Amino acid sequence: MALYLIGDVQGCDDPLRRLLDDIAFSPSRDTLVMLGDLVNRGPASLAVLRRVQGYGAAAQSLLGNHDLHLLGVAHGARKAGRKDTLREVLDAPDRSALLDWLRHQPMALHRRLGGGDLLMVHAGVLPQWSVADTLAAAGELESVLRGPSLADFLQTMYGNAPAQWNDALSGSARLRVIVNALTRLRFCSAEGVMEFDSKDGAAAPPAGFMPWFDVPGRATAVATVAFGHWSTLGWKSRPDLLSTDTGCVWGGCLSAVRIGPTLQDRELIQVDCPQSQKPG
């Protein structure tokens, strides 16, 4: 039995199929965690959703910013953007079942392996959040996404403010910080102020900011944090970090990581991807 983590697919079903064939994924034997952004920008979001949903309990997909955006568009909270490729999902006969499955997916996951902690998110973790804090914040958001207030929440989900976490935050402001940290974060200040304009690699942070995972004293540094979202960062593997978005939709690779009995037992498997969209 193997645990596989796969980075951002973004509607690229053929590379996903080829990657799963290469790793000989078996739903009866293996566990699959998609690290968010199943949909959008690529040509086959509907096929990706149907494929991953079809694996049942053997597969989970963290919710990424594009997945939440699909829910927002489907509920009328946002118009589809010029580069969005969501129409096939929205017009599908099984739309309701797929969207219901999607909103019940997790915002964060945790596993204990070989005496170490594996924390899985789509984008990042605020420096002051511990593993337990992250899971608690994710749980708050999950309860809203799965509950009767979904449509109301989606109306207030978009926006960059507040840019910093505060335990006293409440309501839509609190949920928006959680959404932005877990699904959009790349750079932040040492105090945890989030920056959303730059999409460059880690070597070119905006003035006063740094990659979230390099903030001194980050509370989750005791764990291994696996994430996607940051295609300009690409593959990065160190004891406290696994970065898996290798730019499939932009013509890069789609990456899977097999996690063994310990968190340092890692195998990278990749397939090449045709370019579906040009950056910028």
Side-chain angles (χ1 to χ4, degrees):
M1 179 176 180
L3 169 64
Y4 293 99
L5 312 182
I6 294 183
D8 300 39
V9 176
Q10 291 197 245
C12 298
D13 185 61
D14 183 66
L16 177 59
R17 176 191 58 78
R18 290 187 282 114
L19 182 59
L20 293 171
D21 285 346
D22 282 358
I23 64 178
F25 173 70
S26 170
S28 64
R29 180 191 63 219
D30 302 323
T31 300
L32 181 64
V33 176
M34 312 296 294
L35 293 173
D37 280 359
L38 286 183
V39 302
N40 209 14
R41 303 294 171 84
S45 293
L46 179 59
V48 171
L49 285 173
R50 287 173 173 168
R51 182 184 298 279
V52 179
Q53 183 201 38
Y55 291 135
Q60 289 182 288
S61 182
L62 300 175
L63 289 171
N65 51 304
H66 284 283
D67 307 314
L68 291 175
H69 179 59
L70 170 57
L71 293 174
V73 172
H75 285 82
R78 192 84 156 195
K79 291 184 178 180
R82 180 174 58 86
K83 294 185 177 181
D84 288 346
T85 57
L86 301 172
R87 178 48 53 190
E88 189 181 26
V89 177
L90 298 172
D91 291 342
D94 51 346
R95 159 189 166 142
S96 294
L98 290 169
L99 294 178
D100 189 63
W101 173 83
L102 191 65
R103 75 186 185 113
H104 282 84
Q105 295 307 296
M107 295 300 308
L109 288 170
H110 170 257
R111 282 185 175 239
R112 185 80 176 164
L113 293 171
D117 290 297
L118 174 63
L119 177 63
M120 295 161 275
V121 298
H122 173 61
V125 180
L126 290 171
Q128 62 266 53
W129 285 357
S130 66
V131 171
D133 294 333
T134 305
L135 295 172
E140 289 184 41
L141 184 53
E142 289 164 4
S143 67
V144 175
L145 291 169
R146 298 168 185 178
S149 301
L150 171 64
D152 292 337
F153 159 71
L154 292 170
Q155 294 288 340
T156 65
M157 178 178 70
Y158 295 90
N160 295 342
Q164 187 175 21
W165 176 255
N166 185 314
D167 287 338
L169 286 170
S170 62
S172 60
R174 183 180 180 92
L175 293 172
R176 197 178 307 114
V177 174
I178 296 171
V179 166
N180 287 341
L182 295 178
T183 71
R184 298 178 62 204
L185 181 60
R186 293 185 181 91
F187 296 105
C188 66
S189 70
E191 296 75 32
V193 177
M194 295 180 282
E195 194 277 342
F196 298 114
D197 291 331
S198 178
K199 297 183 180 180
D200 293 334
F209 296 91
M210 65 194 80
W212 64 265
F213 48 78
D214 284 338
V215 173
R218 173 172 59 89
T220 50
V222 297
T224 297
V225 183
F227 63 101
H229 183 61
W230 199 344
S231 62
T232 52
L233 178 65
W235 167 252
K236 195 175 186 70
S237 177
R238 67 190 203 192
D240 64 332
L241 211 63
L242 269 173
S243 170
T244 63
D245 182 1
T246 46
C248 178
V249 75
W250 312 116
C253 296
L254 184 62
S255 297
V257 186
R258 183 195 61 80
I259 306 294
T262 72
L263 288 172
Q264 302 315 310
D265 181 6
R266 309 169 181 180
E267 178 187 4
L268 174 66
I269 308 100
Q270 296 180 312
V271 296
D272 293 332
C273 304
Q275 186 178 57
S276 296
Q277 289 206 15
K278 294 181 179 180

